[in-house]
Amino acid sequence: MSARGEALQNRILELDQELTTLRSRLDQPVRHRMPDTRNSMTHRFEIAGHEGYITVGLYEDGQPGELFITMSKEGSTIGG
């Protein structure tokens, strides 16, 4: 085998190892931090006379990144 053929074979083995490493990372979650200033959407709802709000914080691309649920009767079991 020539020197060039051997170098190509070594490079193929390196790329195969890198591919194996990347495939093992595919199933692992990746955290993307929310920007300090972000858009959000708030929706008002009512359940059995109890008013509440769902607020969704959005990434720059419009994907949801955080969710807050707030009930109007603070201190009650529902508010907790």
Side-chain angles (χ1 to χ4, degrees):
M1 184 180 288
S2 69
R4 182 170 182 194
E6 199 170 306
L8 288 173
Q9 189 67 23
N10 288 337
R11 182 65 178 144
I12 290 171
L13 291 174
E14 288 174 14
L15 290 173
D16 190 41
Q17 290 172 347
E18 187 175 341
L19 187 59
T20 302
T21 302
L22 291 173
R23 282 185 178 149
S24 69
R25 292 183 191 170
L26 274 179
D27 296 331
Q28 297 176 356
V30 177
R31 180 176 180 180
H32 300 282
R33 295 207 177 266
M34 296 286 297
D36 290 337
T37 303
R38 53 191 165 265
N39 292 324
S40 66
M41 295 184 342
T42 301
H43 179 75
R44 180 185 170 278
F45 65 91
E46 190 173 320
I47 300 175
H50 300 287
E51 183 180 321
Y53 297 90
I54 295 176
T55 303
V56 180
L58 303 171
Y59 287 105
E60 289 95 1
D61 65 357
Q63 293 286 327
E66 61 185 4
L67 175 74
F68 296 100
I69 300 175
T70 308
M71 297 298 293
S72 61
K73 290 193 172 188
E74 291 297 324
S76 70
T77 302
I78 295 173

mmCIF file with all atom_site columns, all heavy atoms in Angstrom, residues 10-31:
data_model
loop_
_atom_site.group_PDB
_atom_site.id
_atom_site.type_symbol
_atom_site.label_atom_id
_atom_site.label_alt_id
_atom_site.label_comp_id
_atom_site.label_asym_id
_atom_site.label_entity_id
_atom_site.label_seq_id
_atom_site.pdbx_PDB_ins_code
_atom_site.Cartn_x
_atom_site.Cartn_y
_atom_site.Cartn_z
_atom_site.occupancy
_atom_site.B_iso_or_equiv
_atom_site.pdbx_formal_charge
_atom_site.auth_seq_id
_atom_site.auth_comp_id
_atom_site.auth_asym_id
_atom_site.auth_atom_id
_atom_site.pdbx_PDB_model_num
ATOM 1   N N   . ASN A 1 10 ? -5.955  5.893  7.357  1.00 0.00 ? 10 ASN A N   1
ATOM 2   C CA  . ASN A 1 10 ? -5.902  6.443  8.714  1.00 0.00 ? 10 ASN A CA  1
ATOM 3   C C   . ASN A 1 10 ? -6.961  7.535  8.900  1.00 0.00 ? 10 ASN A C   1
ATOM 4   O O   . ASN A 1 10 ? -7.612  7.613  9.936  1.00 0.00 ? 10 ASN A O   1
ATOM 5   C CB  . ASN A 1 10 ? -4.514  7.004  9.028  1.00 0.00 ? 10 ASN A CB  1
ATOM 6   C CG  . ASN A 1 10 ? -3.492  5.919  9.213  1.00 0.00 ? 10 ASN A CG  1
ATOM 7   O OD1 . ASN A 1 10 ? -3.834  4.779  9.521  1.00 0.00 ? 10 ASN A OD1 1
ATOM 8   N ND2 . ASN A 1 10 ? -2.230  6.254  8.998  1.00 0.00 ? 10 ASN A ND2 1
ATOM 9   N N   . ARG A 1 11 ? -7.130  8.365  7.866  1.00 0.00 ? 11 ARG A N   1
ATOM 10  C CA  . ARG A 1 11 ? -8.133  9.443  7.949  1.00 0.00 ? 11 ARG A CA  1
ATOM 11  C C   . ARG A 1 11 ? -9.543  8.862  8.028  1.00 0.00 ? 11 ARG A C   1
ATOM 12  O O   . ARG A 1 11 ? -10.385 9.360  8.753  1.00 0.00 ? 11 ARG A O   1
ATOM 13  C CB  . ARG A 1 11 ? -7.993  10.366 6.728  1.00 0.00 ? 11 ARG A CB  1
ATOM 14  C CG  . ARG A 1 11 ? -8.935  11.522 6.726  1.00 0.00 ? 11 ARG A CG  1
ATOM 15  C CD  . ARG A 1 11 ? -8.655  12.470 7.875  1.00 0.00 ? 11 ARG A CD  1
ATOM 16  N NE  . ARG A 1 11 ? -9.577  13.591 7.796  1.00 0.00 ? 11 ARG A NE  1
ATOM 17  C CZ  . ARG A 1 11 ? -10.114 14.197 8.837  1.00 0.00 ? 11 ARG A CZ  1
ATOM 18  N NH1 . ARG A 1 11 ? -9.786  13.823 10.059 1.00 0.00 ? 11 ARG A NH1 1
ATOM 19  N NH2 . ARG A 1 11 ? -10.944 15.187 8.685  1.00 0.00 ? 11 ARG A NH2 1
ATOM 20  N N   . ILE A 1 12 ? -9.793  7.787  7.285  1.00 0.00 ? 12 ILE A N   1
ATOM 21  C CA  . ILE A 1 12 ? -11.099 7.115  7.343  1.00 0.00 ? 12 ILE A CA  1
ATOM 22  C C   . ILE A 1 12 ? -11.359 6.588  8.744  1.00 0.00 ? 12 ILE A C   1
ATOM 23  O O   . ILE A 1 12 ? -12.455 6.722  9.279  1.00 0.00 ? 12 ILE A O   1
ATOM 24  C CB  . ILE A 1 12 ? -11.185 5.991  6.282  1.00 0.00 ? 12 ILE A CB  1
ATOM 25  C CG1 . ILE A 1 12 ? -11.256 6.612  4.887  1.00 0.00 ? 12 ILE A CG1 1
ATOM 26  C CG2 . ILE A 1 12 ? -12.375 5.088  6.536  1.00 0.00 ? 12 ILE A CG2 1
ATOM 27  C CD1 . ILE A 1 12 ? -11.131 5.615  3.760  1.00 0.00 ? 12 ILE A CD1 1
ATOM 28  N N   . LEU A 1 13 ? -10.357 6.006  9.369  1.00 0.00 ? 13 LEU A N   1
ATOM 29  C CA  . LEU A 1 13 ? -10.513 5.498  10.736 1.00 0.00 ? 13 LEU A CA  1
ATOM 30  C C   . LEU A 1 13 ? -10.779 6.639  11.723 1.00 0.00 ? 13 LEU A C   1
ATOM 31  O O   . LEU A 1 13 ? -11.614 6.518  12.632 1.00 0.00 ? 13 LEU A O   1
ATOM 32  C CB  . LEU A 1 13 ? -9.275  4.705  11.158 1.00 0.00 ? 13 LEU A CB  1
ATOM 33  C CG  . LEU A 1 13 ? -9.071  3.372  10.442 1.00 0.00 ? 13 LEU A CG  1
ATOM 34  C CD1 . LEU A 1 13 ? -7.737  2.753  10.845 1.00 0.00 ? 13 LEU A CD1 1
ATOM 35  C CD2 . LEU A 1 13 ? -10.219 2.426  10.751 1.00 0.00 ? 13 LEU A CD2 1
ATOM 36  N N   . GLU A 1 14 ? -10.087 7.765  11.553 1.00 0.00 ? 14 GLU A N   1
ATOM 37  C CA  . GLU A 1 14 ? -10.316 8.925  12.418 1.00 0.00 ? 14 GLU A CA  1
ATOM 38  C C   . GLU A 1 14 ? -11.748 9.442  12.286 1.00 0.00 ? 14 GLU A C   1
ATOM 39  O O   . GLU A 1 14 ? -12.414 9.737  13.281 1.00 0.00 ? 14 GLU A O   1
ATOM 40  C CB  . GLU A 1 14 ? -9.346  10.057 12.063 1.00 0.00 ? 14 GLU A CB  1
ATOM 41  C CG  . GLU A 1 14 ? -7.915  9.820  12.460 1.00 0.00 ? 14 GLU A CG  1
ATOM 42  C CD  . GLU A 1 14 ? -7.000  10.921 11.929 1.00 0.00 ? 14 GLU A CD  1
ATOM 43  O OE1 . GLU A 1 14 ? -7.516  11.981 11.499 1.00 0.00 ? 14 GLU A OE1 1
ATOM 44  O OE2 . GLU A 1 14 ? -5.779  10.721 11.937 1.00 0.00 ? 14 GLU A OE2 1
ATOM 45  N N   . LEU A 1 15 ? -12.214 9.546  11.043 1.00 0.00 ? 15 LEU A N   1
ATOM 46  C CA  . LEU A 1 15 ? -13.569 10.037 10.807 1.00 0.00 ? 15 LEU A CA  1
ATOM 47  C C   . LEU A 1 15 ? -14.617 9.061  11.340 1.00 0.00 ? 15 LEU A C   1
ATOM 48  O O   . LEU A 1 15 ? -15.660 9.481  11.850 1.00 0.00 ? 15 LEU A O   1
ATOM 49  C CB  . LEU A 1 15 ? -13.786 10.290 9.311  1.00 0.00 ? 15 LEU A CB  1
ATOM 50  C CG  . LEU A 1 15 ? -13.012 11.472 8.729  1.00 0.00 ? 15 LEU A CG  1
ATOM 51  C CD1 . LEU A 1 15 ? -13.172 11.510 7.211  1.00 0.00 ? 15 LEU A CD1 1
ATOM 52  C CD2 . LEU A 1 15 ? -13.473 12.777 9.349  1.00 0.00 ? 15 LEU A CD2 1
ATOM 53  N N   . ASP A 1 16 ? -14.341 7.786  11.249 1.00 0.00 ? 16 ASP A N   1
ATOM 54  C CA  . ASP A 1 16 ? -15.258 6.783  11.786 1.00 0.00 ? 16 ASP A CA  1
ATOM 55  C C   . ASP A 1 16 ? -15.360 6.905  13.300 1.00 0.00 ? 16 ASP A C   1
ATOM 56  O O   . ASP A 1 16 ? -16.454 6.817  13.869 1.00 0.00 ? 16 ASP A O   1
ATOM 57  C CB  . ASP A 1 16 ? -14.790 5.380  11.382 1.00 0.00 ? 16 ASP A CB  1
ATOM 58  C CG  . ASP A 1 16 ? -15.822 4.329  11.698 1.00 0.00 ? 16 ASP A CG  1
ATOM 59  O OD1 . ASP A 1 16 ? -17.020 4.594  11.466 1.00 0.00 ? 16 ASP A OD1 1
ATOM 60  O OD2 . ASP A 1 16 ? -15.429 3.244  12.188 1.00 0.00 ? 16 ASP A OD2 1
ATOM 61  N N   . GLN A 1 17 ? -14.240 7.137  13.978 1.00 0.00 ? 17 GLN A N   1
ATOM 62  C CA  . GLN A 1 17 ? -14.264 7.331  15.432 1.00 0.00 ? 17 GLN A CA  1
ATOM 63  C C   . GLN A 1 17 ? -15.015 8.604  15.804 1.00 0.00 ? 17 GLN A C   1
ATOM 64  O O   . GLN A 1 17 ? -15.789 8.627  16.752 1.00 0.00 ? 17 GLN A O   1
ATOM 65  C CB  . GLN A 1 17 ? -12.837 7.386  15.984 1.00 0.00 ? 17 GLN A CB  1
ATOM 66  C CG  . GLN A 1 17 ? -12.117 6.062  15.936 1.00 0.00 ? 17 GLN A CG  1
ATOM 67  C CD  . GLN A 1 17 ? -10.643 6.190  16.322 1.00 0.00 ? 17 GLN A CD  1
ATOM 68  O OE1 . GLN A 1 17 ? -10.118 7.285  16.385 1.00 0.00 ? 17 GLN A OE1 1
ATOM 69  N NE2 . GLN A 1 17 ? -10.012 5.059  16.564 1.00 0.00 ? 17 GLN A NE2 1
ATOM 70  N N   . GLU A 1 18 ? -14.812 9.675  15.045 1.00 0.00 ? 18 GLU A N   1
ATOM 71  C CA  . GLU A 1 18 ? -15.516 10.931 15.301 1.00 0.00 ? 18 GLU A CA  1
ATOM 72  C C   . GLU A 1 18 ? -17.019 10.767 15.093 1.00 0.00 ? 18 GLU A C   1
ATOM 73  O O   . GLU A 1 18 ? -17.827 11.283 15.870 1.00 0.00 ? 18 GLU A O   1
ATOM 74  C CB  . GLU A 1 18 ? -14.977 12.028 14.385 1.00 0.00 ? 18 GLU A CB  1
ATOM 75  C CG  . GLU A 1 18 ? -15.530 13.396 14.689 1.00 0.00 ? 18 GLU A CG  1
ATOM 76  C CD  . GLU A 1 18 ? -14.889 14.488 13.842 1.00 0.00 ? 18 GLU A CD  1
ATOM 77  O OE1 . GLU A 1 18 ? -13.804 14.271 13.285 1.00 0.00 ? 18 GLU A OE1 1
ATOM 78  O OE2 . GLU A 1 18 ? -15.506 15.562 13.751 1.00 0.00 ? 18 GLU A OE2 1
ATOM 79  N N   . LEU A 1 19 ? -17.392 10.025 14.060 1.00 0.00 ? 19 LEU A N   1
ATOM 80  C CA  . LEU A 1 19 ? -18.804 9.764  13.783 1.00 0.00 ? 19 LEU A CA  1
ATOM 81  C C   . LEU A 1 19 ? -19.445 8.975  14.928 1.00 0.00 ? 19 LEU A C   1
ATOM 82  O O   . LEU A 1 19 ? -20.560 9.270  15.352 1.00 0.00 ? 19 LEU A O   1
ATOM 83  C CB  . LEU A 1 19 ? -18.939 9.014  12.463 1.00 0.00 ? 19 LEU A CB  1
ATOM 84  C CG  . LEU A 1 19 ? -20.333 8.802  11.917 1.00 0.00 ? 19 LEU A CG  1
ATOM 85  C CD1 . LEU A 1 19 ? -21.032 10.137 11.701 1.00 0.00 ? 19 LEU A CD1 1
ATOM 86  C CD2 . LEU A 1 19 ? -20.272 8.029  10.623 1.00 0.00 ? 19 LEU A CD2 1
ATOM 87  N N   . THR A 1 20 ? -18.736 8.000  15.458 1.00 0.00 ? 20 THR A N   1
ATOM 88  C CA  . THR A 1 20 ? -19.227 7.217  16.590 1.00 0.00 ? 20 THR A CA  1
ATOM 89  C C   . THR A 1 20 ? -19.431 8.107  17.811 1.00 0.00 ? 20 THR A C   1
ATOM 90  O O   . THR A 1 20 ? -20.446 8.011  18.501 1.00 0.00 ? 20 THR A O   1
ATOM 91  C CB  . THR A 1 20 ? -18.239 6.080  16.926 1.00 0.00 ? 20 THR A CB  1
ATOM 92  O OG1 . THR A 1 20 ? -18.076 5.262  15.765 1.00 0.00 ? 20 THR A OG1 1
ATOM 93  C CG2 . THR A 1 20 ? -18.736 5.237  18.078 1.00 0.00 ? 20 THR A CG2 1
ATOM 94  N N   . THR A 1 21 ? -18.505 9.020  18.062 1.00 0.00 ? 21 THR A N   1
ATOM 95  C CA  . THR A 1 21 ? -18.621 9.948  19.189 1.00 0.00 ? 21 THR A CA  1
ATOM 96  C C   . THR A 1 21 ? -19.826 10.860 19.013 1.00 0.00 ? 21 THR A C   1
ATOM 97  O O   . THR A 1 21 ? -20.602 11.075 19.949 1.00 0.00 ? 21 THR A O   1
ATOM 98  C CB  . THR A 1 21 ? -17.342 10.798 19.320 1.00 0.00 ? 21 THR A CB  1
ATOM 99  O OG1 . THR A 1 21 ? -16.225 9.929  19.487 1.00 0.00 ? 21 THR A OG1 1
ATOM 100 C CG2 . THR A 1 21 ? -17.431 11.747 20.499 1.00 0.00 ? 21 THR A CG2 1
ATOM 101 N N   . LEU A 1 22 ? -20.006 11.400 17.814 1.00 0.00 ? 22 LEU A N   1
ATOM 102 C CA  . LEU A 1 22 ? -21.134 12.300 17.557 1.00 0.00 ? 22 LEU A CA  1
ATOM 103 C C   . LEU A 1 22 ? -22.469 11.577 17.667 1.00 0.00 ? 22 LEU A C   1
ATOM 104 O O   . LEU A 1 22 ? -23.439 12.131 18.187 1.00 0.00 ? 22 LEU A O   1
ATOM 105 C CB  . LEU A 1 22 ? -20.991 12.942 16.184 1.00 0.00 ? 22 LEU A CB  1
ATOM 106 C CG  . LEU A 1 22 ? -19.852 13.950 16.036 1.00 0.00 ? 22 LEU A CG  1
ATOM 107 C CD1 . LEU A 1 22 ? -19.720 14.393 14.589 1.00 0.00 ? 22 LEU A CD1 1
ATOM 108 C CD2 . LEU A 1 22 ? -20.066 15.139 16.951 1.00 0.00 ? 22 LEU A CD2 1
ATOM 109 N N   . ARG A 1 23 ? -22.536 10.347 17.207 1.00 0.00 ? 23 ARG A N   1
ATOM 110 C CA  . ARG A 1 23 ? -23.778 9.572  17.319 1.00 0.00 ? 23 ARG A CA  1
ATOM 111 C C   . ARG A 1 23 ? -24.137 9.311  18.772 1.00 0.00 ? 23 ARG A C   1
ATOM 112 O O   . ARG A 1 23 ? -25.310 9.299  19.133 1.00 0.00 ? 23 ARG A O   1
ATOM 113 C CB  . ARG A 1 23 ? -23.643 8.250  16.576 1.00 0.00 ? 23 ARG A CB  1
ATOM 114 C CG  . ARG A 1 23 ? -23.793 8.387  15.099 1.00 0.00 ? 23 ARG A CG  1
ATOM 115 C CD  . ARG A 1 23 ? -23.782 7.047  14.402 1.00 0.00 ? 23 ARG A CD  1
ATOM 116 N NE  . ARG A 1 23 ? -23.980 7.223  12.969 1.00 0.00 ? 23 ARG A NE  1
ATOM 117 C CZ  . ARG A 1 23 ? -23.472 6.428  12.058 1.00 0.00 ? 23 ARG A CZ  1
ATOM 118 N NH1 . ARG A 1 23 ? -22.744 5.397  12.404 1.00 0.00 ? 23 ARG A NH1 1
ATOM 119 N NH2 . ARG A 1 23 ? -23.705 6.657  10.789 1.00 0.00 ? 23 ARG A NH2 1
ATOM 120 N N   . SER A 1 24 ? -23.144 9.120  19.636 1.00 0.00 ? 24 SER A N   1
ATOM 121 C CA  . SER A 1 24 ? -23.431 8.876  21.053 1.00 0.00 ? 24 SER A CA  1
ATOM 122 C C   . SER A 1 24 ? -23.969 10.137 21.728 1.00 0.00 ? 24 SER A C   1
ATOM 123 O O   . SER A 1 24 ? -24.686 10.061 22.711 1.00 0.00 ? 24 SER A O   1
ATOM 124 C CB  . SER A 1 24 ? -22.181 8.383  21.786 1.00 0.00 ? 24 SER A CB  1
ATOM 125 O OG  . SER A 1 24 ? -21.209 9.420  21.873 1.00 0.00 ? 24 SER A OG  1
ATOM 126 N N   . ARG A 1 25 ? -23.654 11.315 21.184 1.00 0.00 ? 25 ARG A N   1
ATOM 127 C CA  . ARG A 1 25 ? -24.150 12.578 21.761 1.00 0.00 ? 25 ARG A CA  1
ATOM 128 C C   . ARG A 1 25 ? -25.545 12.941 21.260 1.00 0.00 ? 25 ARG A C   1
ATOM 129 O O   . ARG A 1 25 ? -26.177 13.838 21.818 1.00 0.00 ? 25 ARG A O   1
ATOM 130 C CB  . ARG A 1 25 ? -23.200 13.724 21.405 1.00 0.00 ? 25 ARG A CB  1
ATOM 131 C CG  . ARG A 1 25 ? -21.864 13.619 22.058 1.00 0.00 ? 25 ARG A CG  1
ATOM 132 C CD  . ARG A 1 25 ? -21.035 14.825 21.703 1.00 0.00 ? 25 ARG A CD  1
ATOM 133 N NE  . ARG A 1 25 ? -19.649 14.659 22.098 1.00 0.00 ? 25 ARG A NE  1
ATOM 134 C CZ  . ARG A 1 25 ? -18.684 15.467 21.749 1.00 0.00 ? 25 ARG A CZ  1
ATOM 135 N NH1 . ARG A 1 25 ? -18.934 16.515 20.996 1.00 0.00 ? 25 ARG A NH1 1
ATOM 136 N NH2 . ARG A 1 25 ? -17.450 15.248 22.144 1.00 0.00 ? 25 ARG A NH2 1
ATOM 137 N N   . LEU A 1 26 ? -26.041 12.305 20.220 1.00 0.00 ? 26 LEU A N   1
ATOM 138 C CA  . LEU A 1 26 ? -27.333 12.649 19.645 1.00 0.00 ? 26 LEU A CA  1
ATOM 139 C C   . LEU A 1 26 ? -28.475 12.526 20.649 1.00 0.00 ? 26 LEU A C   1
ATOM 140 O O   . LEU A 1 26 ? -29.394 13.329 20.644 1.00 0.00 ? 26 LEU A O   1
ATOM 141 C CB  . LEU A 1 26 ? -27.637 11.757 18.442 1.00 0.00 ? 26 LEU A CB  1
ATOM 142 C CG  . LEU A 1 26 ? -27.094 12.216 17.102 1.00 0.00 ? 26 LEU A CG  1
ATOM 143 C CD1 . LEU A 1 26 ? -27.453 11.204 16.024 1.00 0.00 ? 26 LEU A CD1 1
ATOM 144 C CD2 . LEU A 1 26 ? -27.619 13.572 16.727 1.00 0.00 ? 26 LEU A CD2 1
ATOM 145 N N   . ASP A 1 27 ? -28.456 11.512 21.485 1.00 0.00 ? 27 ASP A N   1
ATOM 146 C CA  . ASP A 1 27 ? -29.546 11.259 22.420 1.00 0.00 ? 27 ASP A CA  1
ATOM 147 C C   . ASP A 1 27 ? -29.455 12.109 23.680 1.00 0.00 ? 27 ASP A C   1
ATOM 148 O O   . ASP A 1 27 ? -30.363 12.066 24.503 1.00 0.00 ? 27 ASP A O   1
ATOM 149 C CB  . ASP A 1 27 ? -29.582 9.776  22.788 1.00 0.00 ? 27 ASP A CB  1
ATOM 150 C CG  . ASP A 1 27 ? -29.893 8.911  21.575 1.00 0.00 ? 27 ASP A CG  1
ATOM 151 O OD1 . ASP A 1 27 ? -30.588 9.398  20.668 1.00 0.00 ? 27 ASP A OD1 1
ATOM 152 O OD2 . ASP A 1 27 ? -29.452 7.755  21.543 1.00 0.00 ? 27 ASP A OD2 1
ATOM 153 N N   . GLN A 1 28 ? -28.391 12.847 23.853 1.00 0.00 ? 28 GLN A N   1
ATOM 154 C CA  . GLN A 1 28 ? -28.222 13.649 25.052 1.00 0.00 ? 28 GLN A CA  1
ATOM 155 C C   . GLN A 1 28 ? -28.849 15.027 24.849 1.00 0.00 ? 28 GLN A C   1
ATOM 156 O O   . GLN A 1 28 ? -28.684 15.640 23.801 1.00 0.00 ? 28 GLN A O   1
ATOM 157 C CB  . GLN A 1 28 ? -26.738 13.799 25.398 1.00 0.00 ? 28 GLN A CB  1
ATOM 158 C CG  . GLN A 1 28 ? -26.064 12.481 25.718 1.00 0.00 ? 28 GLN A CG  1
ATOM 159 C CD  . GLN A 1 28 ? -24.574 12.656 25.957 1.00 0.00 ? 28 GLN A CD  1
ATOM 160 O OE1 . GLN A 1 28 ? -24.039 13.734 25.814 1.00 0.00 ? 28 GLN A OE1 1
ATOM 161 N NE2 . GLN A 1 28 ? -23.915 11.575 26.319 1.00 0.00 ? 28 GLN A NE2 1
ATOM 162 N N   . PRO A 1 29 ? -29.606 15.512 25.856 1.00 0.00 ? 29 PRO A N   1
ATOM 163 C CA  . PRO A 1 29 ? -30.195 16.850 25.714 1.00 0.00 ? 29 PRO A CA  1
ATOM 164 C C   . PRO A 1 29 ? -29.119 17.930 25.741 1.00 0.00 ? 29 PRO A C   1
ATOM 165 O O   . PRO A 1 29 ? -28.070 17.769 26.354 1.00 0.00 ? 29 PRO A O   1
ATOM 166 C CB  . PRO A 1 29 ? -31.106 16.966 26.943 1.00 0.00 ? 29 PRO A CB  1
ATOM 167 C CG  . PRO A 1 29 ? -30.573 15.974 27.916 1.00 0.00 ? 29 PRO A CG  1
ATOM 168 C CD  . PRO A 1 29 ? -29.926 14.878 27.121 1.00 0.00 ? 29 PRO A CD  1
ATOM 169 N N   . VAL A 1 30 ? -29.406 19.024 25.063 1.00 0.00 ? 30 VAL A N   1
ATOM 170 C CA  . VAL A 1 30 ? -28.490 20.162 25.011 1.00 0.00 ? 30 VAL A CA  1
ATOM 171 C C   . VAL A 1 30 ? -29.240 21.375 25.547 1.00 0.00 ? 30 VAL A C   1
ATOM 172 O O   . VAL A 1 30 ? -30.357 21.654 25.105 1.00 0.00 ? 30 VAL A O   1
ATOM 173 C CB  . VAL A 1 30 ? -28.012 20.443 23.569 1.00 0.00 ? 30 VAL A CB  1
ATOM 174 C CG1 . VAL A 1 30 ? -27.118 21.666 23.521 1.00 0.00 ? 30 VAL A CG1 1
ATOM 175 C CG2 . VAL A 1 30 ? -27.291 19.237 23.012 1.00 0.00 ? 30 VAL A CG2 1
ATOM 176 N N   . ARG A 1 31 ? -28.655 22.075 26.500 1.00 0.00 ? 31 ARG A N   1
ATOM 177 C CA  . ARG A 1 31 ? -29.304 23.248 27.069 1.00 0.00 ? 31 ARG A CA  1
ATOM 178 C C   . ARG A 1 31 ? -28.907 24.491 26.282 1.00 0.00 ? 31 ARG A C   1
ATOM 179 O O   . ARG A 1 31 ? -27.734 24.745 26.040 1.00 0.00 ? 31 ARG A O   1
ATOM 180 C CB  . ARG A 1 31 ? -28.908 23.427 28.528 1.00 0.00 ? 31 ARG A CB  1
ATOM 181 C CG  . ARG A 1 31 ? -29.569 24.648 29.122 1.00 0.00 ? 31 ARG A CG  1
ATOM 182 C CD  . ARG A 1 31 ? -29.292 24.800 30.566 1.00 0.00 ? 31 ARG A CD  1
ATOM 183 N NE  . ARG A 1 31 ? -29.976 25.987 31.035 1.00 0.00 ? 31 ARG A NE  1
ATOM 184 C CZ  . ARG A 1 31 ? -29.945 26.407 32.262 1.00 0.00 ? 31 ARG A CZ  1
ATOM 185 N NH1 . ARG A 1 31 ? -29.276 25.746 33.164 1.00 0.00 ? 31 ARG A NH1 1
ATOM 186 N NH2 . ARG A 1 31 ? -30.584 27.505 32.605 1.00 0.00 ? 31 ARG A NH2 1
#
